[in-house]
Amino acid sequence: MSDLNQYGIPKNAVITVAGTVGVGKSTMTKALANKIGFRTSYEKVENNPYLDKFYYDFERWSFHLQIYFLAERFKEQKRIFEYGGGFIQDRSIYEDTGIFAKMHYDKGTMTPTDYNTYKHLFDSMVMTPYFPHPDLLIYLEGSFDDVLERIKNRGREMEQETPIEYWREMYDRYEEWINNFNTCPVMRININDYDLHNPNTSVDPILERIGNHIQTSRQYIKS
Ligand SMILES: Nc1ncnc2c1ncn2[C@@H]1O[C@H](COP(=O)(O)OP(=O)(O)O)[C@@H](O)[C@H]1O
Ligand SMILES: Nc1ncnc2c1ncn2[C@H]1C[C@H](O)[C@@H](COP(=O)(O)O)O1
């Protein structure tokens, strides 16, 4: 039996979907996984004991929230490993430190001591040879106005009450972050190039691109 599916995607692949809040990661994760029968790994938003509190008091809760997300994502990583891959993951672990923790530290809503403690923990858990990196990071990108519109339409209360400047800062940081990211292969998708809310939209072209990307990078690693 071939270990590649019809799109040339290895059945044990781990694909992570990255991008700013509201850009469409969860929607994309679900659509891709449904089509190829992969398992999904979503980030914990509902029943997250810190997320609401965090939005109303960054200083007080930013460290707690980062530790919580780190533990959750690491637990998910273990689950993915135990299944032997075949997963689409909603948001990468790299965004926690590269975007969120750093932004709150830079803005003074996470103390230097807390940031250093978090960073040390993150580096010793994640940035080691023992931590398997994804085969591909799909980066979703679009205009700031489109992203903001999606945040508004989705309507999560705490996000509605957060000032636009917060989303703008995050958006700009994402652009800078992805331009310098090299921990695993990256494939960019512009959100204007597909519409998953249209029932006639097929994800086949995206899956074909993913297959090509992963095979090219696996060959590169082998050679
Ligand atoms: N391709 C798309 N076209 C139109 N709206 C979309 C699309 N993908 C997602 N959305 C909408 O945008 C909002 C945010 O999407 P979501 O997948 O929750 O984003 P994220 O996981 O990146 O925060 C949701 O209301 C969702 O229904
Ligand atoms: N690491 C994080 N720090 C702070 N906030 C975070 C982190 N990871 C996710 N979030 C927030 C942002 C959103 O309000 C929700 C869910 O993210 P989404 O991009 O909508 O999937 O959690």
Side-chain angles (χ1 to χ4, degrees):
M1 201 177 66
S2 165
D3 57 2
L4 299 181
N5 70 13
Q6 78 221 68
Y7 303 97
I9 301 173
K11 291 174 183 164
N12 64 356
V14 177
I15 298 162
T16 189
V17 184
T20 195
V21 173
V23 73
K25 299 178 296 300
S26 309
T27 311
M28 177 63 82
T29 298
K30 191 170 162 206
L32 296 180
N34 279 350
K35 186 73 196 253
I36 57 174
F38 270 31
R39 291 190 164 83
T40 49
S41 169
Y42 291 104
E43 61 184 348
K44 200 144 177 200
V45 177
E46 310 301 323
N47 302 324
N48 181 318
Y50 297 109
L51 196 58
D52 270 324
K53 292 182 186 161
F54 161 79
Y55 273 103
Y56 295 111
D57 190 346
F58 288 149
E59 276 93 343
R60 172 80 178 83
W61 297 108
S62 58
F63 181 69
H64 300 70
L65 181 64
Q66 292 314 318
I67 297 295
Y68 180 84
F69 269 125
L70 183 57
E72 283 299 313
R73 293 203 217 278
F74 209 77
K75 206 167 75 190
E76 281 298 286
Q77 197 69 32
K78 190 166 151 271
R79 188 168 74 92
I80 292 170
F81 181 74
E82 283 166 357
Y83 273 113
F87 267 80
I88 313 270
Q89 187 179 33
D90 175 9
R91 173 158 280 131
S92 72
I93 201 163
Y94 314 112
E95 292 156 81
D96 290 331
T97 174
I99 301 287
F100 292 95
K102 178 136 191 352
M103 173 167 144
H104 283 277
Y105 162 66
D106 287 344
K107 292 284 171 190
T109 45
M110 187 188 277
T111 67
T113 309
D114 284 350
Y115 180 67
N116 286 335
T117 303
Y118 170 77
K119 192 74 177 69
H120 183 62
L121 186 61
F122 181 94
D123 288 347
S124 48
M125 284 168 86
V126 178
M127 302 316 271
T128 81
Y130 310 106
F131 184 91
H133 298 289
D135 293 283
L136 187 67
L137 182 143
I138 297 178
Y139 183 71
L140 298 185
E141 57 193 349
S143 73
F144 178 63
D145 287 347
D146 286 348
V147 169
L148 204 57
E149 196 59 29
R150 287 186 179 193
I151 294 175
K152 279 191 192 143
N153 289 340
R154 180 171 59 190
R156 283 184 193 142
E157 198 181 325
M158 74 284 193
E159 293 176 356
Q160 308 306 308
E161 291 175 25
T162 300
I164 287 181
E165 294 71 48
Y166 183 80
W167 306 121
R168 180 80 232 185
E169 172 85 31
M170 188 178 294
Y171 181 90
D172 292 342
R173 280 173 182 260
Y174 258 103
E175 291 203 317
E176 163 102 28
W177 173 78
I178 196 62
N179 287 336
N180 294 295
F181 180 84
N182 56 15
T183 305
C184 70
V186 173
M187 180 181 123
R188 292 177 184 237
I189 303 182
N190 192 297
I191 61 173
N192 293 317
D193 292 345
Y194 64 92
D195 178 5
L196 299 180
H197 281 178
N198 179 341
N200 297 320
T201 299
S202 163
V203 287
D204 284 6
I206 298 177
L207 288 165
E208 275 153 21
R209 275 185 67 198
I210 293 174
N212 287 335
H213 252 276
I214 295 182
Q215 285 192 37
T216 308
S217 47
R218 284 196 175 181
Q219 270 160 16
Y220 177 77
I221 292 164
K222 262 194 225 149
S223 63

